[in-house]
Amino acid sequence: MYFEVVNQLNQILMDAASALSPEAKEKASDLSFTPARDPEHGDLAANAAMVLAKTVKKSPRDLADVFVKALSASPLVARAEVAGPGFVNVFLSNDILVESLKRILTDENQFGRSKKYAGKKALVEFVSANPTGPLHVGHVRGAVVGDSTAELLAAVGYEVTREYYYNDAGVQMQMLGRSVQARYRQLFGREAEFPENGYKGDYIRYIAAALKTARGDALLPEESWRPFTEFAADILMTIIMDDLRKLRVRFDATFSERSLHESGEVQRTLDRLKDKKATYEQDDALWLKTTEYGDEKDRVLVKSDGEPTYVTPDIAYHCDKYERQYDKMVNVMGHDHHSQCERVKIALSIFGFDLSCLHYLLNQMVSIERGGEKIKLSTREGQFMTLAEMADELGADVTRYFFAQRSYNTQMIFDWDLAKKQSMDNPVYYLQYVHARACSIEEKARERGIQPAPDLRFDASPLSGDRERLLLLKLFYYPLVVMDAAERLEANLIPSYLEDLAKTFHTYYQVQRVLDQDDPVGTQARFHLVLAVRQVMRNGLGLLNVSAPDRM
RNA sequence: GCGCCCAUAGCUCAAUCGGAUAGAGCAUCUGCCUUCUAAGCAGAGGGUUGCAGGUUCGAGUCCUGCUGGGCGUACCA
């Protein structure tokens, strides 16, 4: 409904502008209405007159007058006026807002969703932590941002694949295996030297114990670290996926680095880079000429010992993504990887891939504040907040919401004490309370025999009051918020909107009785309004994968 | 040194991709429960958007230069 209305109004602007001059016609496609911030500015506002004033050589206000005249003829428009320096403000007819309300009740779970990108494929790669230990807070942020973004893309029509890429090859995995191997030998009382930079966490001991249970002493004579790595990686991946499930995060696919080596993709990628004359050999190593693309120094692709560096399989992986032909690829990772991304992008552009469909969401660091002091998070010191701890102590709803609420692009301080509070201070409950409250009203209504009108035919005139209209408008905007959030890849727009809607609803509830025995017509109308608010709240929370409880 | 990102109320964060008088929540203060959930609502105080310039009808948002912080800058991943 929102888009139908705005498109119609935009068309009126375009037609009016096109009639003025050829130059104006060229610019006309940029003209667009957006929701007005201030109720006094109407429901929708357009800056078209100010944008076009110069090309048409007219004053913005005179030009705005032209638009207002054209808009006033539309049945969608109750009133249009010129305001301020030349804004065109439109007040929508109540009929349209009521139509939108009915659309919500008809579309239910589908309201706010769109088919705009139907037929397009999107890949969201996120978390992608190596299976060398349990997930910690930083990964939680990535998990929530990635999963919410995937949900949003699906909401606007994309066929979305959630993918987890993990490095199961290379030095770190070797270290993991050797750490387990040492612990395993120690379990049998053997002398075993623990590797210098090995993983010291307790979970390594558990894995060793599990290995002993599974295989007994069969691996004692084993010299190679490989079987230990394999065993440990399997267990850790299982733990990681179990932990993620606690946050309601599930993946459609995992992609292993090792498979890229085994299939020859890594070698093929190197060959192709050589063909492009983008590499050279020096000191027994193979280098990529990244300086030709603005890097401060060239980067090593293959070390002098013949092993590829981290970036090489990563390039191969991204080539594979491109070959799988996605319309949009989103990579969610920690900001500390940004220089890594740049190198991958350089390689991709050498191959001539279109970088505009590849989006990196680099989320900034998270610190946790608890009891008034910041908790230092350091994996090396073995001091970290794990995903499991967060999910168990705070629950999936709170954990997810706190991360979804903030832009991924800013460093964030996680207020543990607030998250822990089960009260009105906690924004999650504030939103959920809207839903529970609406459910409660519905229950009371049904007790009194009040039900949704058949075919939604009810007298909507009681909804033309200022307070009702305000709610109708917020509901009307919802599809735009979803579209914006999806197109801009900013999931945090959803919480902002929902908090605004919640505030408006709670205020309304306080001043206006919904079920009023002395006013059956008003009751019927307001009842539908409440059901619509509940539906939108439920849909919005659903995009964040946060639950909408019937009771609290 | 160089690169990326950030700086908004005492605190945590928004601000419809350049729009109208910069908004919420927490904290502080003042009110509101015989009637659908007070896990709520109303009101008050709190700001030179780090600093200085520039671009234009219009800048928290864009460009330049500073200041202050985070991260990166490996033949680690």
Side-chain angles (χ1 to χ4, degrees), chain A residues 60-277:
Chain A
R61 286 192 64 103
D62 287 348
L63 189 50
D65 255 336
V66 175
F67 292 133
V68 163
K69 283 212 175 70
L71 289 160
S72 300
S74 167
L76 303 175
V77 176
R79 187 157 56 91
E81 59 189 32
V82 182
F87 288 100
V88 177
N89 294 340
V90 162
F91 295 79
L92 293 169
S93 78
N94 280 325
D95 291 349
I96 277 301
L97 296 181
V98 172
E99 275 298 301
S100 149
L101 171 77
K102 291 182 178 177
R103 186 72 71 86
I104 296 168
L105 297 175
T106 317
D107 290 354
E108 299 184 314
N109 294 340
Q110 294 304 308
F111 182 76
R113 303 182 78 87
S114 158
K115 295 195 165 44
K116 182 170 178 184
Y117 295 96
K120 305 257 184 204
K121 287 169 58 186
L123 179 74
V124 181
E125 183 213 327
F126 61 114
V127 185
S128 292
N130 298 343
T132 55
L135 300 181
H136 62 259
V137 232
H139 300 122
V140 178
R141 186 175 202 179
V144 172
V145 168
D147 193 51
S148 306
T149 303
E151 202 64 47
L152 279 169
L153 291 175
V156 297
Y158 282 100
E159 180 194 318
V160 178
T161 303
R162 292 164 160 86
E163 191 161 285
Y164 187 121
Y165 173 73
Y166 61 104
N167 299 102
D168 52 352
V171 183
Q172 293 303 316
M173 294 308 287
Q174 180 177 341
M175 193 58 76
L176 173 71
R178 287 172 55 205
S179 301
V180 172
Q181 185 175 32
R183 294 295 185 223
Y184 174 77
R185 289 182 173 176
Q186 286 167 2
L187 283 177
F188 291 94
R190 302 292 173 90
E191 284 285 315
E193 203 178 324
F194 197 76
E196 198 178 334
N197 292 315
Y199 291 93
K200 299 189 180 72
D202 283 338
Y203 61 92
I204 298 294
R205 295 174 197 276
Y206 302 139
I207 292 170
L211 184 56
K212 184 183 172 187
T213 307
R215 303 285 300 275
D217 60 2
L219 289 173
L220 270 182
E222 177 64 57
E223 286 303 318
S224 165
W225 46 268
R226 291 180 194 278
F228 297 93
T229 294
E230 208 154 303
F231 185 81
D234 276 353
I235 287 189
L236 285 166
M237 275 309 278
T238 307
I239 291 174
I240 285 170
M241 288 302 169
D242 283 349
D243 282 354
L244 285 167
R245 215 164 288 136
K246 291 183 180 181
L247 288 180
R248 306 186 189 117
V249 175
R250 288 167 189 276
F251 285 88
D252 303 302
T254 55
F255 198 110
S256 108
E257 178 194 340
R258 215 166 68 188
S259 72
L260 289 167
H261 292 92
E262 288 167 357
S263 67
E265 277 305 301
V266 173
Q267 190 53 51
R268 200 165 73 88
T269 301
L270 286 170
D271 292 342
R272 288 172 66 199
L273 282 169
K274 285 180 198 162
D275 287 348
K276 295 277 182 188
K277 309 258 183 281

Side-chain angles (χ1 to χ4, degrees), chain A residues 28 38 54 61 74 78 136 144 149 223 225 234 239 252 289 301 313-314 343 407 428 466 497 521 523:
Chain A
D38 187 330
K54 254 195 181 158
R61 286 192 64 103
S74 167
H136 62 259
V144 172
T149 303
E223 286 303 318
W225 46 268
D234 276 353
I239 291 174
D252 303 302
K289 298 178 190 168
L301 291 170
D314 209 8
R343 289 166 215 169
S407 159
V428 189
D466 286 349
Y497 168 84
V521 175
T523 295

Side-chain angles (χ1 to χ4, degrees), chain A residues 1-5 8 75-76 92-108 111-112 455-461 463-464 468-469 471-473 475-477 479 525 528-529 532 536:
Chain A
M1 187 62 67
Y2 176 85
F3 295 105
E4 284 104 305
V5 169
Q8 279 192 49
L76 303 175
L92 293 169
S93 78
N94 280 325
D95 291 349
I96 277 301
L97 296 181
V98 172
E99 275 298 301
S100 149
L101 171 77
K102 291 182 178 177
R103 186 72 71 86
I104 296 168
L105 297 175
T106 317
D107 290 354
E108 299 184 314
F111 182 76
D455 297 329
L456 297 174
R457 280 187 207 158
F458 62 94
D459 182 353
S461 55
L463 300 182
S464 55
E468 287 79 9
R469 210 173 180 286
L471 270 171
L472 286 175
L473 261 179
L475 298 174
F476 173 71
Y477 296 146
H528 287 88
L529 179 59
V536 170

